[in-house]
Amino acid sequence: MTVDTLLEATAQVLVSSGYERASTDAIAARAGVSIGTLYQYFPNKASLVAALIRQHVDEVLYLVETALAEHEGSPLDTTLRALVRAGIEAHRLNPPLHKVLFEQVPTEQILGQAPDVSSRLQAMIEAVLRRKLPGISRTRTRTVALVLETSIEALTHRAVVEAPDWLRSGALEKEAVALLKPYLLQALR
């Protein structure tokens, strides 16, 4: 419970103060714990941010995995819509925090701490495509999964940074599906 409280406080301080101005003292104060308690769990700000990134990655993977599992027997276009929706939901979890993490946290810290989420998402998509379209070559399926994952991530990330309201309106989901459905249907013939 203390770790969860510290991570929530870290997210709040990052959003309100930015990465550079966030400090372990401010995080401990926001969490309502002593600095000593914070240091029992996390040695520094970087370790708090790394844990927050891992938590976010786990949430993203869970949302996508759940959406794909729920649509296992659905037609391909329904599965695509569910995949796009899951990508948007993942970015809708906390857009201000997502923006801070990917615009202010040093890139080497993000890359060094977060597992390769894109590769894991691509593998999930590829597995679904192989089950739904067993006649398509592995190379082609892998390429299509890469394009889908990258497109959804790029669209949703850009919305987080430039227009978070698009994540709530439904417009981004509609446009992303309109863009990707013809590609998917054509690419997998």
Side-chain angles (χ1 to χ4, degrees):
M1 199 158 105
T2 302
V3 169
D4 289 340
T5 300
L6 287 167
L7 292 179
E8 180 59 34
T10 302
Q12 292 171 4
V13 170
L14 285 172
V15 169
S16 66
S17 302
Y19 179 77
E20 287 300 320
R21 292 187 22 221
S23 68
T24 52
D25 288 332
I27 293 166
R30 179 70 61 98
V33 301
S34 71
I35 193 71
T37 297
L38 182 147
Y39 286 137
Q40 285 180 321
Y41 296 95
F42 299 98
N44 53 37
K45 177 174 78 171
S47 65
L48 281 158
V49 172
L52 198 58
I53 291 168
R54 283 191 303 275
Q55 182 182 61
H56 178 69
V57 165
D58 289 345
E59 290 169 344
V60 168
L61 292 171
Y62 175 78
L63 282 170
V64 172
E65 188 172 45
T66 301
L68 292 175
E70 287 175 0
H71 291 86
E72 181 66 32
S74 299
L76 194 56
D77 62 329
T78 303
T79 304
L80 173 64
R81 184 174 300 283
L83 180 62
V84 169
R85 187 174 298 128
I88 292 170
E89 287 298 317
H91 286 80
R92 200 168 30 192
L93 293 172
N94 191 339
L97 176 62
H98 189 93
K99 186 174 180 174
V100 169
L101 290 176
F102 289 94
E103 287 187 346
Q104 297 179 21
V105 175
T107 303
E108 62 274 1
Q109 185 174 349
I110 290 174
L111 296 176
Q113 299 300 328
D116 188 359
V117 68
S118 292
S119 293
R120 292 172 68 185
L121 291 170
Q122 181 185 336
M124 285 183 211
I125 296 166
E126 185 179 345
V128 168
L129 292 174
R130 265 194 257 121
R131 284 191 299 276
K132 289 185 180 286
L133 303 158
I136 306 300
S137 76
R138 280 183 152 311
T139 302
R140 184 72 179 139
T141 305
R142 184 176 303 124
T143 303
V144 172
L146 171 87
V147 170
L148 290 175
E149 188 282 324
T150 302
S151 298
I152 294 167
E153 172 59 24
L155 290 168
T156 53
H157 181 74
R158 181 118 183 234
V160 164
V161 172
E162 295 180 17
D165 55 308
W166 291 358
L167 298 172
R168 293 181 296 278
S169 71
L172 182 62
E173 178 183 334
K174 181 180 173 184
E175 295 300 323
V177 170
L179 173 73
L180 295 171
K181 183 178 173 182
Y183 163 75
L184 181 59
L185 296 176
Q186 180 277 328
L188 295 175
R189 284 190 193 149

